[in-house]
Amino acid sequence: MKKVLIMLGVPRQQFEHILKGWEIVYPVSGSFTNEELIEKVSDVDAIVTVYGNKLSNEVIDAAPNLKMIANFGAGYDNIDMAYVGKRGIVVTNSPDPVTEPTAELAMGLMISVARRMGEMNNILKNKEELQWGVMRNLSTTLVGKQLGIVGMGAIGKALARRAVASGMSIVYHNRNEVDEQTANALDAKYVSLEELLKTSDVVSLNMPLTADTKAMIGQEQLHQMKSTSYLINTARGPVVDEEALIKALEENVIAGAGLDVFENEPNIPDALKELPNVVLMPHLGTATHETRGEMSALVAQNIKAYFEGMTPPNQVN
């Protein structure tokens, strides 16, 4: 009998349905500690990791039979890929289900910060005095504005579709240009990062976290942006120099930010919480009931495919 350990309490029904006959080790109280993992992985064939939760190399060393790590999430920076590669362990991710909900949240953050929804909501709910009037509490409309997308993968494209439908124009920066059909459908123009930052009214970060993208947006890049522009980050916190961002917001270098991810999650600097022109979400880009179930199903399908001798649909190494 094959055995899989699931690190956190993600939806279980899909695993039981797709991996019939498998022994499934599931946490009783939400998640396993690192010590519990080390105790329980000695005879597992596969481990299901969850984005944002590090799989330590100690756990890998304690699992001599481990052949596969199936990550619940698109990003797999929670796994030491070089280390598992030396063991010949196959790694998969689950990108497709996260595309639309993450783009949806990015669009919501854009609207919330530009239209000052978070700020106004906080004032009204905290019963602070608010001056009403036709020329008070003005905000910025997104119609006719330029969205600059850094990272034109599946999520970037899904966000672009939403932005175009809202009357925005699109420029993007990516490792490679998108295919001509996609570019034409979105009327999206490929530009350098510097041009994107200098000309865009909203900059959305949608790239993976790698050695090349870590702190990709720092003081220099923030100062290239318009003073009226907004930064949206639904990618990974460390792609932004958080200290530089806070300073830029405090000094009105940019107009505001919408953030779903942070440099040292779950810790969020008080300065970000106190700034009225920042909308914060606790890494919920993919957090819908529907998406979680779809992700469990895809993770289980990757495991099933591998152990039936096929190449998993989402193998990343």
Side-chain angles (χ1 to χ4, degrees), residues 261-316:
V261 290
F262 306 91
E263 195 167 359
N264 298 296
E265 295 177 13
N267 300 312
I268 302 174
D270 289 338
L272 283 177
K273 298 177 184 178
E274 293 163 3
L275 285 163
N277 56 341
V278 178
V279 176
L280 307 175
M281 293 288 285
H283 205 150
L284 296 181
T286 65
T288 71
H289 296 291
E290 298 85 353
T291 303
R292 291 291 181 256
E294 292 171 8
M295 291 171 72
S296 281
L298 183 55
V299 170
Q301 287 162 2
N302 275 299
I303 295 171
K304 185 173 187 290
Y306 176 74
F307 285 96
E308 289 183 351
M310 296 178 283
T311 300
N314 302 111
Q315 185 169 333
V316 298

Side-chain angles (χ1 to χ4, degrees), residues 22-74:
W22 279 62
E23 180 181 351
I24 300 174
V25 181
Y26 203 78
V28 175
S29 59
S31 64
F32 291 116
T33 65
N34 198 63
E35 290 72 23
E36 288 172 333
L37 287 171
I38 291 171
E39 292 176 3
K40 293 179 181 294
V41 298
S42 61
D43 59 347
V44 301
D45 300 283
I47 295 177
V48 175
T49 52
V50 180
Y51 73 92
N53 295 268
K54 184 175 177 59
L55 177 66
S56 75
N57 292 337
E58 288 179 293
V59 174
I60 301 297
D61 290 340
N65 298 328
L66 183 64
K67 300 174 184 65
M68 181 183 189
I69 298 169
N71 198 52
F72 188 94

Side-chain angles (χ1 to χ4, degrees), residues 172-204:
Y172 72 96
H173 181 74
N174 202 47
R175 284 176 296 180
N176 302 298
E177 295 188 42
V178 301
D179 62 272
E180 186 176 353
Q181 183 178 357
T182 300
N184 290 339
L186 298 171
D187 196 18
K189 179 184 177 184
Y190 178 82
V191 297
S192 67
L193 178 60
E194 183 176 354
E195 182 178 347
L196 183 149
L197 295 171
K198 287 182 176 180
T199 62
S200 296
D201 300 291
V202 181
V203 173
S204 178

Side-chain angles (χ1 to χ4, degrees), residues 71-275:
N71 198 52
F72 188 94
Y76 43 91
D77 48 287
N78 52 322
I79 302 164
D80 187 336
M81 295 296 291
Y83 196 80
V84 300
K86 292 176 183 177
R87 280 269 304 270
I89 297 169
V90 167
V91 178
T92 61
N93 66 343
S94 49
D96 293 345
V98 311
T99 297
E100 298 299 332
T102 304
E104 186 175 74
L105 186 69
M107 192 72 201
L109 286 170
M110 287 167 52
I111 296 170
S112 294
V113 69
R115 294 306 308 272
R116 299 175 64 187
M117 291 169 66
E119 180 185 356
M120 295 297 110
N121 176 73
N122 289 341
I123 291 172
L124 292 172
K125 284 193 170 182
N126 292 327
K127 300 179 181 179
E128 298 175 36
E129 183 178 352
L130 181 72
Q131 296 295 319
W132 296 60
V134 69
M135 292 304 294
R136 296 184 183 276
N137 309 312
L138 301 181
S139 60
T140 299
T141 186
L142 295 177
V143 175
K145 299 299 193 301
Q146 178 176 292
L147 170 62
I149 298 176
V150 185
M152 196 65 152
I155 295 171
K157 292 170 188 172
L159 175 59
R161 292 199 312 270
R162 287 165 168 79
V164 168
S166 296
M168 301 183 77
S169 61
I170 308 296
V171 299
Y172 72 96
H173 181 74
N174 202 47
R175 284 176 296 180
N176 302 298
E177 295 188 42
V178 301
D179 62 272
E180 186 176 353
Q181 183 178 357
T182 300
N184 290 339
L186 298 171
D187 196 18
K189 179 184 177 184
Y190 178 82
V191 297
S192 67
L193 178 60
E194 183 176 354
E195 182 178 347
L196 183 149
L197 295 171
K198 287 182 176 180
T199 62
S200 296
D201 300 291
V202 181
V203 173
S204 178
L205 307 180
N206 300 96
M207 64 286 215
L209 176 60
T210 66
D212 292 332
T213 63
K214 187 173 182 180
M216 185 177 184
I217 304 299
Q219 180 179 338
E220 179 183 352
Q221 290 74 29
L222 291 164
H223 279 262
Q224 289 173 347
M225 294 172 62
K226 296 180 181 180
S227 61
T228 54
S229 64
Y230 302 95
L231 181 71
I232 307 298
N233 188 8
T234 56
R236 285 289 188 268
V239 303
V240 176
D241 181 335
E242 203 162 71
E243 186 176 334
L245 174 60
I246 291 169
K247 186 175 181 182
L249 289 163
E250 290 175 338
E251 296 178 356
N252 298 313
V253 173
I254 62 174
L259 307 173
D260 184 44
V261 290
F262 306 91
E263 195 167 359
N264 298 296
E265 295 177 13
N267 300 312
I268 302 174
D270 289 338
L272 283 177
K273 298 177 184 178
E274 293 163 3
L275 285 163

